[in-house]
Structures are given as structure tokens and as C-alpha cells.
Amino acid sequence: MEQQATKTDETEAHAGAPESVAMPEPMTIHDEEGGLDRDFVATVRDAVDAENGTALRDLVEDLHEADLGDLLQALTPEQRDGFVRLLGRDFDWLALTEVDESVREKILASIPNETIAQVVRELEPDDAVEIIANLDEEDREEVLAGIPIAERIAFERSLDYPENSAGRRMTTKFIAVPPFWTVGQATDFLRGNSRLPEEFTEIYVVDPRFCFLGTVPLNRLLRAGAEERIEDIKGEVDYAIHATDDQEDAARLFERYNLLSAGIVDENNRLVGVITVDDMVDVIEAAAEQEMRRLAGVGDEELSDSVVYSVRSRFWWLLVNLFTAILASSVIGLFDNVIQQMVALAVLMPIVASMGGNAGTQTMTLAVRALSTRDIKAIRPGRFVRREVTVGLINGVLFAILMGAIAGLWFGRLEVGLLIASAMIVNMIAAALAGILIPLALFSVGADPAIASTVFVTTVTDCVGFFAFLGLATLWIH
Amino acid sequence: MEQQATKTDETEAHAGAPESVAMPEPMTIHDEEGGLDRDFVATVRDAVDAENGTALRDLVEDLHEADLGDLLQALTPEQRDGFVRLLGRDFDWLALTEVDESVREKILASIPNETIAQVVRELEPDDAVEIIANLDEEDREEVLAGIPIAERIAFERSLDYPENSAGRRMTTKFIAVPPFWTVGQATDFLRGNSRLPEEFTEIYVVDPRFCFLGTVPLNRLLRAGAEERIEDIKGEVDYAIHATDDQEDAARLFERYNLLSAGIVDENNRLVGVITVDDMVDVIEAAAEQEMRRLAGVGDEELSDSVVYSVRSRFWWLLVNLFTAILASSVIGLFDNVIQQMVALAVLMPIVASMGGNAGTQTMTLAVRALSTRDIKAIRPGRFVRREVTVGLINGVLFAILMGAIAGLWFGRLEVGLLIASAMIVNMIAAALAGILIPLALFSVGADPAIASTVFVTTVTDCVGFFAFLGLATLWIH
């Protein structure tokens, strides 16, 4: 922890120095953690509130789109509209690709469709598609109608791909060369061309029918002799990403094969676009985040969403949990006689359930993760089940001894200790089995294990915990 | 779900086709999900068990290191040693950077230190450092002693950086050119040089003291005229990554600014290495995964770890949970009189606690995530707290009405319904407050919110839930 503090200080000292040299204004834009400086945000707010377009322009004109996005997020909805309006043509529309969906929707709603139609033509195709996709049906039609047909067709084709497909993430602006060209021809082509993508790291080799043959990373192009032929230096592509593939599958290939960019093909192996790693980084992070949220039942909620949206999105998960909690309670209800005879049972029973719930969550988290990274195939489910049951049994015995002793002393009765110890062992084994088998079962029927496992696992550990503890107590009392 | 199944089929059909054309052997290596084919793994196993080095070599020689890593994970520890031994000099050591730490350690332990010393010299420096770092103290000394001094010093310097620092992830093999060179000079240098990194996407500009001045992406180099000067086409670097910075902070910059690679500097702004985005993709995924595991209390455990390691790593979390569960139980213990008078309370009390626990976990997950991505600064904590309490209050009232009605009907007493309804509202508000304030408090004292929030939040919701429900019942009965 201390180390982290030291490091942060260094970053600050360092990040501050080159900026103050390079820029005339004395304003600090970033704080020590790389986020936006609080005073800077306040100054921007004031400029917006004062409708001072000149001051605003001076403040934000050099900002990176990511910083501009953060800035938009920090403003109130009214300020955001004012911000975009005051900047006018100087507003960097890329910032819209960096904000939450709900923020983007609201900003777009305040802008005339003709302006949007003009703006998207200046963006890279993948960014433009992201913005158009966020408009509602009617606005989308109107915006598309305002774009010349040649460009419109490309947008429409991208929009035809399903929402989370690779096709939606690809740019249609890339460099394709025939295999029979020489390196010299390719280099001249790059040098003389003004319509190249802004940044690129490789060029793509296609045959006359635009079938995808391979890629040439720029460093290989630079190192090759001018007379060498493209087909002789091109790299083989031993994976294929279809435009209709899920973007998470595409991201997994990027991660696995350390790709910087990849050609995207249609059903006839024709090159239709290119995906770059920066987009895949976002997909990878979003996928891991989504899994975490799903395990906790908060879905796709964002901090900037409205209260109504949050209430609704969480309500369903809580409702499911209410019914499973009632189910567990009805297990307790079966044993109300024995509880009346010995109130100690009511005091101790949540401990059995809670320990089972936690042990089950541990196993479940490993299982869900292993399923989504496909690691579980490498280790094989059978081995995983045996392993988890063994871990559950050992920890079950350890905690049975510990809790048995505590309970025995607490209530001054050895039998109470033995009772909770036995129930604890039973529930820890049940937890291990539920923690692994429930995600596996959900996965095998095609459901997302992250979305429902938590509910099922804790239902099992609650019910088994209460049943084992109170059931054993009944046997022993009668 | 159906859609996913369809897509997978397409991938299979497609991935199969080019491979069978390009490769002579009829063996399928990948299954439809991009993992290793089960039969292929079995064939490899058989070759290892039969000590058939020739067959093994034929099977695996064309495999990508990622696939080779998966293959190693799928073998038993004995088979792994045999696998490496049978392949001998044909073993691709990069595969070791793709396996779990515990697997890597065991394989390295079976290999003579002289062999390791030879091998690491052939790897890229960052991969070599990753392998050397995994050796124990004694072996590390011996391996380093077997490496010629010039290379050894570079390795030792990298190893001097803290374990999760940017310095550990950087490669020391990169291309640096002076600012006064022309594009033509730089291109000639690249063409004539046989000691370049295997792949690179940009070159770095340094002054005579090796101070970092900027970068030139290869696409810019290719497009520029031969007479242009490097300093005129170089890009500004408006972030600085120190070798001692945490690798997660570096990864966040990559994500934020869509970087492909970045120069790493020492405390005097001298360029000491380069980090590439493929390594950062792993860091980003690992960071999100770690957060998920910490929330569930499974630490850095891997599927391939031993049972003993898992038991130990989970024991501590369960122990902490045991004590918080006992704390919650002792709250129940305060009210044993009232439970004896009305057993319905014992039946219903877990519902109040469980609903609070789930609502608290929802808020906490959002808060932990927002803290680690720094989103929380954009929205400001005060706004977040108000928002969460409002959501908690609304859902609290909704579920109070619902559960109040159910409990009233279940036990045929209106008062029971009113009791649980009031306790539910109190606990849902407590859950919202705990879910946001606990992670914020942990974060502000420099602790990792992911590692302890779950325990504290559920302790609060359990205790408040039991106390509110049973306390109100006591007031009402007396």
C-alpha cells in the first residue's frame, strides 16, 4: 500500500513536468492518478455555465478524446448539451465513443440529425457506426438519408451485423494489396495515397476476388528489399474471424495469438474489414466486468443510468433471491418444533448456512472463470470436481472442529458442538458440489453460468445447511 | 443462446477448411471453440507415454506457443516433464510463458540450470525475465551465472524492478534513433540490421543521453519522404510510464490512449525499455479477474494448484467469515426470548438478512468496479451515495410490501407482515450505505476494496437485518 503511494507521487512529478514545458497554459489537466483534475473540471463547468465559447475552446482544444469523454461524464446533462453546442464544429466527436451509452444517447438526442450526418462522415467507419447504432430507429433513418449513397451503403452493411458481432467493431478502411505486387510497389502506393486510415500496423493481401490471403506487418515491409514480392513475405493467417462472429470470441483470438489487428471475412472468405487491438482491449475488459456484474446481479447498469433504470434492473435479481430465501425459510419452518425446544439452534443455524454460502461462492467463482476462459477444458471437469470436493471436505473438517468447540463452549453443551460440526461438514461438501456442478450444468445447456449460478448455489447451501443442522437436531432430540 | 450455437458452428466450418488445405496431416488441432481438440490431446499423451519423440515432434512442431501452453496444462506433471525432455532442443520455450505459474515452476525444476541459461538467451528479453523470475533464489543465481555478462546485466536490471512493475514487463530490445536522422537513414538502418526485435510497430526517438523524445509509428515512417527528418514526424508523448510504475497503471494508459506500445523511462527520463500491448492485454484481463476472485475470497489460486495450497488460501477467508457469522449470530442470541415466544421470527429472519446481503453486494460490486476504473471520480462519491440510497429505499419499499403480504398470509398475522416489511426497508437502506461507504473507506485508507468489502458488507447487512427484525419484534411483543 505504501509502495503504491510512493509510485503515485512519482507519476505526478513526472506527468507534471513535460506538460508545463510543452503547453503555454498553467492549468493542470490530470491529477496524480491520471484522471481529470478537479479544478480543471470546475473551470470547464464555469465556462459552460457562463456560455463562454472562447474560453471553453481554449480549455479543451488539445484534449485527447478519452479525457474529453471523462469531462462530459463529469458534467450535468444540461451542461453536456451546452458544451457540445458552444464548441460547435470544434467538438471532437470521438469523445462520444468514450462515454457511457446513456450519456451518448442523451447528447445525440440534443443534436440535429443533419449535423450528425455530416459528422459521422468525418469519423473512421467503426466509430461512425458506433454512433449511428446508438440512435433510435427514426433518427437513424434520417441520418443515413443525409449521407451520400456510396458511404451510406458501407454503414448500412456494418449495421446489418448483429449488435455484439465482430462486424460491428471492424473498420472498413484498410489497405489491401494484390499478392503479385513487389514491396517497392506497395511502399510507393502507401506514400502516394492520401486516403489511408489514420493509423495502421499491417497491410492485407487479397486476390482479385478480394479473398483474404494473408497479412504483411509494416515492420516486415520495411525490412524487405524493394524487389521482393508481397506473396513471399506475407504471413499466414491460421485463424479466421467472421464478421458475424461474437466480438468476445474475436477478442479471445487477439489475446491468444497476441494480435495487433486482424482481417475480418464474410462467408466467402472475402475481406470485409479490419479489427484493431484497441477495440478488443475494450471488449476484453467489458467481458470480465460483465461477468463480475452478472455474478452480483447488477446486469449492464452504468453509474450514469437513471435511478428508475437501476431500480428496475436490480429488482428482478432481488425478486428471484426473495423466492429462494423463502424456500430456505420454509426449510426452517419444517423444524419449528425443535427450534421452540432449543433456541440455540436458531442462533447457530445462520453460521452453517453462511459458511456453506461462502465456500460455494469460492468454488463457483473459479468455475465460472474457468468456463469463460475455457481453462476448464484443459484441466477436465472430472478432475476439477474431485479437487473441489477434497478441498471442501478438508476445510469442512477444520471448521467443524473449530466451530464445534466454539459452540460447545458457548452453550455449555457438547451435543450442540457435535451437531454443528456434523452439519458443517455436510454443507461444505454440498457447497463444493453445487459450486462446480451448477455452473457446469448451466454452461452445458447453453446458459451463461455467471448470470444464474450465485442464486442457485446459495439456495443449495442455505437449504442443505438448514436441513442438515435442524434435521440432525431433530434426530438427536427425539 | 441459440444464436451462439449457430455462430460456433460457422467458426468450426471455417476454421477447419483452410487448415486441411494448408497442412498435410489430417489431425484436427482445434475444437469448434478454439480450444485444443480432445483427440489431438489424447494422441499427444500417447506419444509421450510411449516415449516416442519423433511422433511427438511431428504432432507439435507447428503449434503456436499458446496452443503448446494449453497442451502442457492438459498433461499430468510426469507427462509434462517427459514432453519437454522428448522434444529437447525443439521445445518452444515461449510455451512456458503461457502456462499457470505452478505448472511453470514444476517444469523448470525438472530442467538443468545450464539448459535454462542457454534457452533464455534465445528468447525476447521480457519473456526471458518472466522465466528467470520464476526460479527460486538458488537456481536463479546459477542460471544468471551461466549467461555472458553483457546479457546478464540487462536481465539483472529488469529483475531489480518490483514484481508487478512496468519494468518487469518491458522488453529491452527496441529501436532507438536520434532526432536529426532523416527518414531515409532510419529506413536504411532498419533494412540493414539483423538484430532487430522480431516484431515492432514503432521506433523511438532519443537524444544523445538516451532521453526519451517521442515515437514514430511505422506507418508514418512509410508515408514520409526520405528527406524528412525524424524530429519533424515524431509524435509527442503526453504520458510517461516509469519502469517502477505498477503494471496495472501502465495498462490503464494503454487502454485509455489506445496505445500499441510505449516507451518506459527511468527516473531521469531515459528510455530503458518498451512495453507492447499484447502484454498489457494480459494485465488488463488478469486485473479484472483478480478483482472478481478477491471479491469471492479465492485470491490468486489457479486450477492447477495443489489441494493443500487451495485449502490454505481459502481457509483464511472462511475463518474471517466464521467470525463475522458468529458476530451476526450473537445478535440473534440477544433476542432468544422473543424467538422462543414466536418461532415465526426464526423462520423469517434469514430472509431479511439475505435480501440485505444481495442488495449490498449489488451496490458494492458497482462501487468496487468504479473505484478501480476511477469512474467514481467522474460521477463524484456524494452523488453516488445519494443515488444508491434512493435505489435502496425504493426497492426496500417494493419488497417490504411484497414480503409483508407474503409473511402476513403465511403466518396468518398482519403484525408479522408489518414487522418484516419495516425491517426490510431498514436493511435495504443499510445495505446501500454499507455497499458504497465500505469500499470508499477501504480505498481511502489505501486498502484494496475488492479484498475485504464483501465480508464487511454482509456483516453489516446480517447484523442490521437480524437486529432490526428481532428488535422491532421485541418492542412490539412487550
Side-chain angles (χ1 to χ4, degrees):
Chain A
M1 294 309 124
E2 267 200 284
Q3 196 184 358
Q4 200 172 20
T6 321
K7 180 211 45 71
T8 309
D9 291 342
E10 279 178 29
T11 318
E12 175 185 36
H14 191 85
E19 248 163 33
S20 55
V21 175
M23 298 214 259
E25 71 227 19
M27 194 98 223
T28 312
I29 291 173
H30 292 110
D31 62 13
E32 67 279 12
E33 280 173 326
L36 288 177
D37 182 78
R38 205 172 275 259
D39 292 337
F40 175 73
V41 175
T43 317
V44 170
R45 255 178 225 288
D46 292 343
V48 174
D49 291 340
E51 302 263 319
N52 188 340
T54 323
L56 184 62
R57 209 162 284 133
D58 286 345
L59 281 166
V60 305
E61 64 183 350
D62 289 327
L63 284 190
H64 186 277
E65 67 241 30
D67 294 323
L68 210 50
D70 278 3
L71 195 53
L72 281 173
Q73 298 264 115
L75 301 178
T76 65
E78 296 72 40
Q79 288 172 330
R80 283 174 202 143
D81 295 344
F83 185 94
V84 178
R85 184 171 35 78
L86 286 169
L87 284 179
R89 293 198 55 85
D90 292 327
F91 178 66
D92 180 355
W93 292 81
L94 272 182
L96 287 190
T97 64
E98 303 275 344
V99 298
D100 289 350
E101 212 173 296
S102 60
V103 173
R104 180 161 58 227
E105 274 170 14
K106 272 192 219 129
I107 295 178
L108 284 173
S110 77
I111 298 168
N113 285 334
E114 307 124 71
T115 313
I116 300 178
Q118 272 168 34
V119 160
V120 292
R121 296 180 56 198
E122 291 164 26
L123 297 176
E124 296 280 316
D126 54 333
D127 297 321
V129 167
E130 195 178 339
I131 289 177
I132 299 175
N134 241 258
L135 299 169
D136 62 37
E137 194 74 27
E138 203 178 317
D139 288 330
R140 193 187 303 173
E141 300 281 308
E142 225 177 286
V143 166
L144 285 171
I147 299 172
I149 184 123
E151 291 164 65
R152 192 202 311 161
I153 287 173
F155 287 146
E156 281 172 344
R157 202 162 9 177
S158 292
L159 287 167
D160 275 347
Y161 293 117
E163 199 181 331
N164 289 315
S165 65
R168 275 290 183 89
R169 285 282 182 164
M170 72 190 186
T171 173
T172 44
K173 212 165 170 184
F174 54 88
I175 300 155
V177 299
F180 51 81
W181 272 19
T182 63
V183 168
Q185 276 177 296
T187 321
D188 289 344
F189 172 76
L190 293 180
R191 203 159 285 149
N193 201 323
S194 62
R195 296 190 53 207
L196 298 179
E198 216 170 306
E199 298 287 346
F200 56 98
T201 57
E202 54 187 17
I203 60 175
Y204 299 85
V205 189
V206 293
D207 73 8
R209 286 173 44 245
F210 236 76
C211 277
F212 186 29
L213 300 177
T215 63
V216 181
L218 294 188
N219 71 75
R220 214 177 288 174
L221 196 66
L222 267 164
R223 282 189 264 191
E227 294 309 309
E228 286 187 68
R229 288 162 68 91
I230 291 293
E231 62 192 330
D232 297 327
I233 65 165
K234 81 171 163 44
E236 295 299 328
V237 178
D238 39 29
Y239 45 84
I241 305 178
H242 273 148
T244 49
D245 284 353
D246 190 278
Q247 58 184 18
E248 282 184 35
D249 292 336
R252 219 176 292 131
L253 284 173
F254 268 77
E255 199 186 346
R256 187 174 179 85
Y257 296 112
N258 296 337
L259 306 179
L260 293 176
S261 56
I264 309 299
V265 294
D266 67 7
E267 63 278 15
N268 301 314
N269 195 34
R270 274 187 308 230
L271 189 64
V272 290
V274 163
I275 285 187
T276 50
V277 67
D278 53 308
D279 288 324
M280 291 298 102
V281 168
D282 297 341
V283 170
I284 288 169
E285 170 137 68
E289 180 169 323
Q290 195 184 42
E291 201 168 288
M292 203 180 315
R293 285 150 169 274
R294 285 186 174 171
L295 282 173
V298 275
D300 60 349
E301 207 183 301
E302 287 166 336
L303 284 189
S304 48
D305 283 330
S306 71
V307 168
V308 176
Y309 185 90
S310 292
V311 167
R312 211 183 303 161
S313 105
R314 296 188 208 172
F315 180 85
W316 296 108
W317 170 269
L318 291 173
L319 185 66
V320 172
N321 179 67
L322 181 68
F323 286 110
T324 63
I326 291 174
L327 186 67
S329 283
S330 64
V331 172
I332 304 175
L334 297 176
F335 299 99
D336 51 0
N337 274 330
V338 71
I339 291 176
Q340 196 131 36
Q341 289 172 52
M342 198 163 76
V343 176
L345 298 178
V347 176
L348 291 174
M349 65 184 186
I351 298 179
V352 181
S354 161
M355 290 299 283
N358 275 278
T361 304
Q362 290 180 327
T363 300
M364 179 196 74
T365 304
L366 285 178
V368 167
R369 221 31 229 154
L371 282 168
S372 71
T373 58
R374 308 289 186 266
D375 279 350
I376 208 164
K377 303 185 76 164
I379 200 167
R380 283 171 308 168
R383 216 152 101 189
F384 193 10
V385 173
R386 276 198 304 280
R387 181 178 181 285
E388 288 302 316
V389 171
T390 314
V391 172
L393 180 65
I394 298 176
N395 266 332
V397 170
L398 292 175
F399 283 102
I401 295 170
L402 188 61
M403 189 59 219
I406 294 175
L409 292 172
W410 186 354
F411 292 94
R413 292 166 73 173
L414 177 66
E415 308 92 294
V416 174
L418 287 175
L419 209 53
I420 198 168
S422 328
M424 190 84 90
I425 296 177
V426 171
N427 206 22
M428 294 288 260
I429 295 174
L433 284 171
I436 164 86
L437 295 180
I438 288 172
L440 271 178
L442 288 167
F443 184 75
S444 69
V445 299
D448 177 356
I451 218 161
S453 289
T454 306
V455 172
F456 287 129
V457 170
T458 52
T459 305
V460 169
T461 54
D462 278 354
C463 292
V464 171
F466 293 141
F467 194 85
F469 185 54
L470 300 176
L472 287 171
T474 310
L475 288 180
W476 168 65
I477 279 183
H478 292 118
Chain B
M1 297 307 124
E2 268 200 282
Q3 196 184 357
Q4 201 171 20
T6 321
K7 180 208 45 62
T8 310
D9 290 343
E10 278 179 30
T11 317
E12 176 186 34
H14 192 85
E19 246 165 37
S20 55
V21 176
M23 297 215 259
E25 72 225 20
M27 194 96 223
T28 312
I29 292 174
H30 293 108
D31 62 12
E32 67 279 12
E33 279 173 327
L36 289 178
D37 183 79
R38 205 171 275 259
D39 292 336
F40 175 74
V41 175
T43 317
V44 171
R45 256 178 224 288
D46 291 344
V48 174
D49 290 340
E51 301 264 318
N52 188 340
T54 324
L56 184 62
R57 210 163 284 132
D58 286 346
L59 281 167
V60 306
E61 65 182 350
D62 289 328
L63 283 191
H64 187 276
E65 68 242 31
D67 293 324
L68 210 50
D70 278 1
L71 195 52
L72 281 172
Q73 299 265 116
L75 300 178
T76 65
E78 297 72 39
Q79 287 173 331
R80 284 175 200 142
D81 295 345
F83 185 94
V84 177
R85 184 171 35 76
L86 287 168
L87 284 180
R89 294 196 54 85
D90 292 327
F91 178 65
D92 180 356
W93 292 81
L94 272 183
L96 287 190
T97 63
E98 304 276 344
V99 297
D100 287 351
E101 212 172 296
S102 61
V103 172
R104 180 161 57 227
E105 275 169 15
K106 272 190 220 132
I107 294 178
L108 285 173
S110 76
I111 298 169
N113 285 334
E114 309 126 68
T115 313
I116 300 179
Q118 272 168 34
V119 160
V120 291
R121 296 179 54 200
E122 291 163 25
L123 297 176
E124 296 280 317
D126 54 336
D127 297 320
V129 166
E130 195 177 339
I131 289 178
I132 299 176
N134 241 258
L135 298 169
D136 61 38
E137 194 76 27
E138 204 179 316
D139 288 331
R140 193 188 304 175
E141 300 280 309
E142 224 178 285
V143 166
L144 285 172
I147 298 173
I149 185 128
E151 291 164 64
R152 193 202 310 161
I153 286 172
F155 287 144
E156 282 171 343
R157 202 162 8 172
S158 291
L159 287 166
D160 275 346
Y161 293 116
E163 198 180 332
N164 290 314
S165 65
R168 275 291 183 88
R169 285 283 182 163
M170 72 189 186
T171 175
T172 46
K173 211 166 171 183
F174 55 86
I175 300 153
V177 298
F180 51 81
W181 273 18
T182 62
V183 168
Q185 275 177 296
T187 322
D188 288 345
F189 173 76
L190 293 180
R191 203 158 286 146
N193 201 322
S194 63
R195 297 190 52 206
L196 298 179
E198 214 169 306
E199 298 287 345
F200 56 97
T201 57
E202 52 187 18
I203 61 176
Y204 299 85
V205 189
V206 294
D207 72 9
R209 287 172 44 245
F210 235 76
C211 277
F212 185 30
L213 300 178
T215 62
V216 181
L218 294 188
N219 70 75
R220 215 178 288 176
L221 196 66
L222 267 162
R223 282 188 264 191
E227 293 310 308
E228 286 188 68
R229 288 162 68 91
I230 291 291
E231 61 191 333
D232 297 328
I233 65 164
K234 81 168 164 44
E236 295 299 330
V237 178
D238 38 28
Y239 45 83
I241 305 178
H242 275 147
T244 49
D245 284 353
D246 189 279
Q247 58 185 17
E248 282 184 35
D249 291 336
R252 217 176 293 129
L253 284 173
F254 268 76
E255 200 187 346
R256 188 175 179 85
Y257 296 113
N258 297 336
L259 306 179
L260 293 176
S261 57
I264 309 297
V265 294
D266 68 6
E267 62 278 17
N268 300 315
N269 195 32
R270 274 187 309 232
L271 189 64
V272 290
V274 164
I275 286 188
T276 49
V277 67
D278 52 307
D279 288 325
M280 291 299 103
V281 168
D282 297 341
V283 170
I284 288 169
E285 170 136 66
E289 181 168 322
Q290 195 185 42
E291 202 168 288
M292 205 181 314
R293 287 151 167 275
R294 285 187 172 170
L295 283 174
V298 276
D300 60 351
E301 207 183 300
E302 287 167 337
L303 283 190
S304 48
D305 284 330
S306 70
V307 167
V308 176
Y309 185 91
S310 292
V311 167
R312 210 183 304 161
S313 107
R314 295 189 208 171
F315 180 85
W316 296 108
W317 172 268
L318 291 173
L319 185 67
V320 172
N321 180 66
L322 182 68
F323 286 110
T324 63
I326 290 174
L327 186 68
S329 284
S330 64
V331 172
I332 303 175
L334 297 176
F335 299 99
D336 50 0
N337 274 331
V338 71
I339 290 176
Q340 195 131 36
Q341 288 174 51
M342 196 163 75
V343 178
L345 298 178
V347 175
L348 291 174
M349 67 186 183
I351 297 179
V352 180
S354 160
M355 290 299 283
N358 275 277
T361 304
Q362 289 181 326
T363 300
M364 178 197 74
T365 304
L366 285 179
V368 167
R369 216 39 225 153
L371 283 168
S372 70
T373 57
R374 308 289 187 265
D375 278 351
I376 209 164
K377 301 184 78 164
I379 200 168
R380 284 172 307 166
R383 218 154 97 187
F384 192 10
V385 173
R386 275 199 305 281
R387 183 180 180 284
E388 289 302 316
V389 172
T390 314
V391 172
L393 180 65
I394 298 175
N395 266 331
V397 170
L398 292 176
F399 282 101
I401 295 169
L402 188 60
M403 189 58 218
I406 294 174
L409 291 173
W410 186 354
F411 293 93
R413 291 166 73 176
L414 177 66
E415 308 92 294
V416 174
L418 287 175
L419 210 53
I420 198 168
S422 326
M424 191 83 92
I425 296 178
V426 172
N427 207 22
M428 293 288 261
I429 295 174
L433 284 171
I436 165 86
L437 295 180
I438 288 172
L440 272 178
L442 288 168
F443 183 76
S444 70
V445 299
D448 178 356
I451 218 161
S453 289
T454 307
V455 171
F456 288 128
V457 170
T458 53
T459 306
V460 168
T461 53
D462 278 354
C463 292
V464 171
F466 293 141
F467 193 86
F469 185 55
L470 300 175
L472 287 172
T474 311
L475 288 180
W476 168 65
I477 279 184
H478 292 116

